[in-house]
Amino acid sequence: NAGVTQTPKFRILKIGQSMTLQCAQDMNHNYMYWYRQDPGMGLKLIYYSVGAGITDKGEVPNGYNVSRSTTEDFPLRLELAAPSQTSVYFCASGVKTRGEQYFGPGTRLTVT
Amino acid sequence: KNQVEQSPQSLIILEGKNCTLQCNYTVSPFSNLRWYKQDTGRGPVSLTIMTFSENTKSNGRYTATLDADTKQSSLHITASQLSDSASYICVVSENDYKLSFGAGTTVTVRA
C-alpha cells in the first residue's frame, strides 16, 4: 500500500494564479481531509469528505474548493492564489469507527 | 473556543534521557485525544489514541496519560533516541472530523 500520496511536493505560484493539489489514498477509506499548517500553529481543517460525492467545509475554507468523485481521490483547488495561502498542505484519510487519520507527506506552497 | 495548548514549545535532551510533554485542552464535547509525531518535512504519524475512559496508553517507548477531569494529557518518552527528534502534536477530537490541533512541542535529542 502506498497509503496517502500527494503531488506536487513543492510549488511556487504567482498571486492570482490557480492550481490543484492532488491527493490519493489506496486504503479504501471513506473519510478524507485537507489541512493547512502554518509555522508555529496547529493544523487547520480546510475541507473534508465522508464519501464519494459528499464534501463539507472545515474551519478555513475560503479561497479553496474540493471535489470527491471517487473514494480514492480528493483534489484541492486554489483559485486566485494569495500570499495568505502560503503554507504546507496535508491531505489525510481515515475510517469512521476509530477516527484515526493517516497523513500524506504534504505539499509546500509559496505564493509570491 | 476549543483550544489545545502544549508545553514546552521546544526542548533539548541528551540521548538516553527521559522527557515529558504536556497538553491542556478546553475542547468540548470530547471524543478522544491523540498524540502524533511529525518528522521534519513529513506528515504527522499517530502514536496513541485515548478515549474518555482510558487514562494511559503505551506505544513502545512512548506513554501517554489522560486526565479527562482536569483536561490534561502528557506524553512521556523513555530512553530517548536520536530518531525521537521531531515535533509532537496533541490533538483533541470532538468527532470524526472536528479535530483541534496543538501547535506542537519540538524535541531535539542530542548525542
Side-chain angles (χ1 to χ4, degrees):
Chain A
N1 283 353
V4 179
T5 58
Q6 292 183 238
T7 55
K9 286 188 183 296
F10 305 93
R11 183 73 186 267
I12 298 174
L13 279 183
K14 293 189 186 303
I15 295 171
Q17 287 185 320
S18 301
M19 75 164 295
T20 299
L21 281 66
Q22 301 292 344
C23 174
Q25 53 95 7
D26 61 359
M27 297 174 281
N28 202 32
H29 289 164
N30 283 332
Y31 283 57
M32 293 189 76
Y33 314 81
W34 273 106
Y35 294 92
R36 60 178 287 172
Q37 186 177 36
D38 299 318
M41 307 284 287
L43 276 75
K44 301 288 187 188
L45 181 65
I46 304 171
Y47 271 95
Y48 67 98
S49 168
V50 301
I54 306 170
T55 63
D56 207 347
K57 296 178 181 179
E59 189 179 353
V60 289
N62 291 345
Y64 307 95
N65 276 300
V66 294
S67 60
R68 184 96 183 271
S69 57
T70 67
T71 299
E72 294 76 22
D73 300 298
F74 190 40
L76 176 72
R77 177 84 177 159
L78 277 72
E79 304 283 1
L80 298 175
S84 61
Q85 292 178 305
T86 294
S87 188
V88 181
Y89 291 84
F90 289 100
C91 178
S93 72
V95 295
K96 176 175 170 57
T97 51
R98 279 181 58 82
E100 176 62 273
Q101 294 189 11
Y102 300 85
F103 286 81
T107 294
R108 183 175 294 276
L109 176 68
T110 302
V111 182
T112 61
Chain B
K1 181 182 176 182
N2 289 334
Q3 286 190 312
V4 177
E5 301 286 342
Q6 292 187 241
S7 62
Q9 190 172 9
S10 63
L11 64 93
I12 300 172
I13 57 174
L14 292 176
E15 190 177 14
K17 299 296 186 183
N18 305 335
C19 68
T20 300
L21 316 180
Q22 301 292 341
C23 173
N24 296 335
Y25 63 92
T26 61
V27 176
S28 181
F30 176 89
S31 175
N32 58 61
L33 185 144
R34 317 158 186 213
W35 283 94
Y36 283 88
K37 178 186 180 189
Q38 184 176 21
D39 292 316
T40 301
R42 309 289 292 270
V45 174
S46 179
L47 292 175
T48 64
I49 297 180
M50 290 182 290
T51 60
F52 186 90
S53 59
E54 297 173 297
N55 55 25
T56 186
K57 183 163 280 191
S58 292
N59 178 356
R61 294 179 296 99
Y62 301 102
T63 299
T65 65
L66 172 64
D67 186 335
D69 292 331
T70 61
K71 298 189 175 182
Q72 295 180 324
S73 176
S74 66
L75 180 70
H76 187 76
I77 305 175
T78 302
S80 60
Q81 300 177 356
L82 296 178
S83 60
D84 293 330
S85 295
S87 178
Y88 293 84
I89 303 172
C90 175
V91 185
V92 182
S93 172
E94 293 178 49
N95 52 40
D96 290 331
Y97 56 86
K98 276 193 176 178
L99 278 66
S100 295
F101 288 76
T105 293
T106 300
V107 174
T108 302
V109 181
R110 296 242 168 102

